[in-house]
């Protein structure tokens, strides 16, 4: 079926409804969201630990190299986050249908792509480090430290991307506690190894980088062993099934759209930072401090977005319209509740938190003036987080991409228009416009997609070609 909003997948094979009915409850949502929220919150500890370890050597160039290298590394790997989210949606739909063969097939396709991309990234690590050095332009000492850090860390690319596929499979089945275990194992091993190699053995920045490499390897071995043990109870899949052209084209289409969406999102935040820099160094510094509150709120909201991914995908796979609607309603309810709590905490304790982050009096004063704008990003952004989760789970990736592009156009207009009129207040207002536009645009077309997807229930959607 095709309408004004664009093509969306339709079913290629009938799937029986009986035996796949399930109810979405508050408890079910929380059973996925709470463990994954805790898992995501362990991520910032890595940056803190790495900075603390390198900081013990008293070399500003090493700290600069770490910061610059982390930016390059994060940009590269954010590009391939679709290997996690895309796998979650596809596995969740197969899980909803009760199709263990399809779950296994989607995992192996994602795993093979992960290894292939990872090997390429590891091989071109020196080139990526060189490009990053040109972009950062941080001086000879910083550049040398950054190159060393990036090249070593990219050695773990095959393992890191394999962990994306493993986590995507686990979350697609709604196994939040297993996902939490794998993330704690990964981040815990990373922290411990970074301290041991970087500080105890005195390897410094290179020790921190090697700690990440070994942690990714350990997590991938443990995660893959769990998956293999599970698949050992199922019939082995022939290579021809794994290389099914229609399935591969569907995975590529979904992943492509998610990647475009991620690129646009990264560029939007880069524009925010750039415009802040145009308003002066003080404004840039204050905004950088305040953006930490939005990023931390994002870690909380990601847990409920993950629940929306799994439950929406599972409902589509099972052909259960009510379960789908309940997954949207309940995950959004908890998302708004949590975002309101986060906003309240930032509003009440924000000045103390700002003082903890920076000792510069002028930066504190500037950040305090715009604190309410930063605090309320959690509320204005919650619907965007939740709808992204719903659309990823349902594999409506084309709509998610298109609404991101539409919202970005509105954001750019607001960014330049409001900033010219109101300075930094206008800049923060533009960010809210972007977040709200993303959430509302996806919510607006949700009824159309639901009618299309569940019109021929019991069948979930697949790509018609």
């Amino acid at each position: 079926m095709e309408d004004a909003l664009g093509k969306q997948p339709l079913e290629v094979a009938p799937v029986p409804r009986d035996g796949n009915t399930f109810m979405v409850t508050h408890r079910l949502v929380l059973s996925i969201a709470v463990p994954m929220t805790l898992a995501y919150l362990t991520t910032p500890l890595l940056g803190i630990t790495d900075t603390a370890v390198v900081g013990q050597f008293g070399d500003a160039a090493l700290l600069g190299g770490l910061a610059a290298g982390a930016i390059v590394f994060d940009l590269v790997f954010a590009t391939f986050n679709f290997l996690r989210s895309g796998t979650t949606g596809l596995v969740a739909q197969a899980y909803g249908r009760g199709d263990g063969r399809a779950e296994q097939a989607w995992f192996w396709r994602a795993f093979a792509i992960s290894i292939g991309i990872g090997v390429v990234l590891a091989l071109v690590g020196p080139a990526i480090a060189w490009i990053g050095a040109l972009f950062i332009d941080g001086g000879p000492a910083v550049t040398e430290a950054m190159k060393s850090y990036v090249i070593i860390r990219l050695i773990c690319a095959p393992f890191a991307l394999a962990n994306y596929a493993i986590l995507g499979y686990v979350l697609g089945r709604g196994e939040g506690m297993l996902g939490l275990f794998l993330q704690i194992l990964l981040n815990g091993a990373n922290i411990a190894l970074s301290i041991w190699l970087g500080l105890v053995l005195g390897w410094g920045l290179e020790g921190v980088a090697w700690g990440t490499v070994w942690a990714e390897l350990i997590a991938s071995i443990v995660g893959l062993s769990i998956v293999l043990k599970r698949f050992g109870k199922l019939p082995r899949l022939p290579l021809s099934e794994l290389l099914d052209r229609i399935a591969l084209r569907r995975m590529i289409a979904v992943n492509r759209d998610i990647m475009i969406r991620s690129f646009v999102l990264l560029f939007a935040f880069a524009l925010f930072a750039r415009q802040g820099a145009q308003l002066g160094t003080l404004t840039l510094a204050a905004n950088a401090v305040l953006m930490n509150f939005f990023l931390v709120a994002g870690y909380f909201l990601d847990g409920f977005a993950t629940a929306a991914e799994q439950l929406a995908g599972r409902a589509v796979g099972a052909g259960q319209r009510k379960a789908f609607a309940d997954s949207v309603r309940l995950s959004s309810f908890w998302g708004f509740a949590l975002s309101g709590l986060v906003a309240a905490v930032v509003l009440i304790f924000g000045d103390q938190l700002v003082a903890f982050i920076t000792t510069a009096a002028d930066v504190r004063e500037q950040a305090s003036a715009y604190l309410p704008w930063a605090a309320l990003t959690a509320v204005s952004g919650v619907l965007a987080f939740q709808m992204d989760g719903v659309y990823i789970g349902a594999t409506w990736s084309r709509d998610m991409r298109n609404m991101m592009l539409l919202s970005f156009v509105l954001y750019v207009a607001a960014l330049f228009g409001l900033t010219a009129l109101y300075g930094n207040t206008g800049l923060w207002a533009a960010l809210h416009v972007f977040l709200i536009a993303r959430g509302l645009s996806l919510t607006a077309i949700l009824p159309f997609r639901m009618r299309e997807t569940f019109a021929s229930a019991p069948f979930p959607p697949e790509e018609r070609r």
Side-chain angles (χ1 to χ4, degrees):
M1 180 183 297
E2 183 176 353
D3 59 18
L5 298 174
K7 292 181 180 179
Q8 286 297 322
L10 293 176
E11 175 62 26
V12 295
V15 180
R17 299 183 71 177
D18 53 321
N20 293 317
T21 301
F22 69 103
M23 292 181 60
V24 178
T25 62
H26 290 285
R27 183 175 182 178
L28 182 56
V29 170
L30 294 175
S31 71
I32 301 171
V34 172
M36 292 317 301
T37 297
L38 296 175
Y40 294 140
L41 286 173
T42 64
T43 302
L45 296 177
L46 292 177
I48 295 172
T49 301
D50 290 351
T51 302
V53 169
V54 175
Q56 299 303 306
F57 291 86
D59 189 337
L62 291 180
L63 280 173
L66 172 66
I71 291 172
V72 173
F73 187 84
D74 289 344
L75 284 173
V76 170
F77 274 70
T79 302
F80 301 105
N81 190 53
F82 61 79
L83 292 167
R84 201 286 299 164
S85 53
T87 304
T88 296
L90 295 168
V91 171
Q93 291 185 20
Y95 181 68
R97 296 195 300 271
D99 189 347
R101 288 180 66 89
E103 290 179 40
Q104 185 179 359
W106 287 124
F107 168 77
W108 284 121
R109 292 176 191 126
F111 185 81
I113 293 173
S114 300
I115 296 297
I117 294 175
V119 169
V120 172
L121 288 176
L123 293 175
V124 301
I128 293 174
W130 180 74
I131 294 171
L134 291 178
F135 177 75
I136 299 296
D137 192 20
V142 170
T143 297
E144 189 63 30
M146 186 216 70
K147 285 183 176 179
S148 175
Y149 179 78
V150 170
I151 291 172
I152 293 172
R153 280 203 64 176
L154 283 175
I155 293 173
C156 77
F159 315 126
L161 297 185
N163 285 327
Y164 283 8
I166 293 168
L167 184 61
Y169 166 77
V170 168
L171 296 181
R173 290 179 52 84
E175 297 172 334
M177 291 303 296
L178 179 54
L180 173 60
F181 165 74
L182 292 174
Q183 289 301 101
I184 289 178
L185 173 66
L186 171 61
N187 294 333
N190 199 335
I191 290 172
L193 288 168
S194 293
I195 293 173
W196 181 53
L197 296 174
L199 200 57
V200 177
L201 297 186
W203 291 9
L205 182 62
E206 292 187 357
V208 168
W210 279 113
T212 301
V213 172
W214 284 105
E216 294 283 3
L217 175 60
I218 291 169
S220 62
I221 291 174
V222 172
L224 187 59
S225 65
I226 293 172
V227 172
L228 288 175
K229 182 177 180 181
R230 180 174 296 171
F231 288 165
K233 302 175 183 178
L234 300 173
R236 295 186 64 179
L237 299 180
L239 186 61
S240 59
E241 185 172 346
L242 297 177
L243 298 179
D244 179 77
R245 291 179 60 188
I246 294 178
L248 288 174
R249 287 171 62 187
R250 183 187 180 196
M251 172 170 273
I252 291 171
V254 169
N255 290 341
R256 176 201 63 210
D257 294 335
I258 294 175
M259 184 172 68
I260 292 172
R261 169 258 185 195
S262 299
F263 267 136
V264 175
L265 186 61
L266 288 171
F267 189 53
F269 291 140
L271 272 180
F272 181 88
R274 179 188 178 280
Q275 287 304 104
Q278 303 305 305
L279 297 173
T281 303
L282 180 59
T283 299
L284 175 64
N287 286 352
V289 170
L290 293 175
M291 278 298 288
N292 284 296
F293 299 138
F294 173 66
L295 295 175
V296 170
Y299 287 119
F300 282 98
L301 296 176
D302 270 338
F304 290 92
T306 299
E309 285 180 36
Q310 198 279 333
L311 295 173
R314 181 180 173 186
V316 168
Q320 300 294 321
R321 182 189 181 97
K322 184 179 185 304
F324 183 91
D326 288 343
S327 69
V328 174
R329 177 175 58 84
L330 294 182
S331 64
S332 297
F333 167 80
W334 282 105
F336 274 109
L338 184 60
S339 68
L341 178 61
V342 171
V345 169
V346 173
L347 287 171
I348 295 171
F349 301 105
D351 287 334
Q352 292 92 321
L353 294 171
V354 169
F356 176 78
I357 295 173
T358 178
T359 59
D362 53 351
V363 175
R364 288 181 178 181
E365 183 179 358
Q366 182 88 335
S368 179
Y370 297 99
L371 182 63
W373 288 98
L376 292 176
T377 54
V379 178
S380 62
V382 63
L383 202 57
F385 277 85
Q386 295 312 110
M387 287 298 109
D388 273 356
V390 170
Y391 277 68
I392 287 172
T395 59
W396 299 335
S397 57
R398 186 177 290 109
D399 281 330
M400 186 173 66
R401 177 201 67 192
N402 291 344
M403 294 305 102
M404 171 63 82
L405 293 172
L406 172 63
S407 300
F408 182 75
V409 171
L410 296 175
Y411 168 64
V412 170
L415 186 75
F416 290 101
L418 296 177
T419 303
L421 292 173
Y422 304 108
N424 201 39
T425 298
L427 180 60
W428 279 99
L431 180 61
H432 283 274
V433 168
F434 179 54
L435 296 172
I436 293 170
R438 286 178 56 208
L440 290 183
S441 61
L442 291 172
T443 302
I445 63 174
L446 184 63
F448 297 97
R449 286 294 164 239
M450 287 182 64
R451 283 199 294 270
E452 180 183 73
T453 299
F454 295 101
S456 58
F459 307 135
E462 282 284 355
E463 190 93 34
R464 176 182 287 173
R465 293 178 169 81

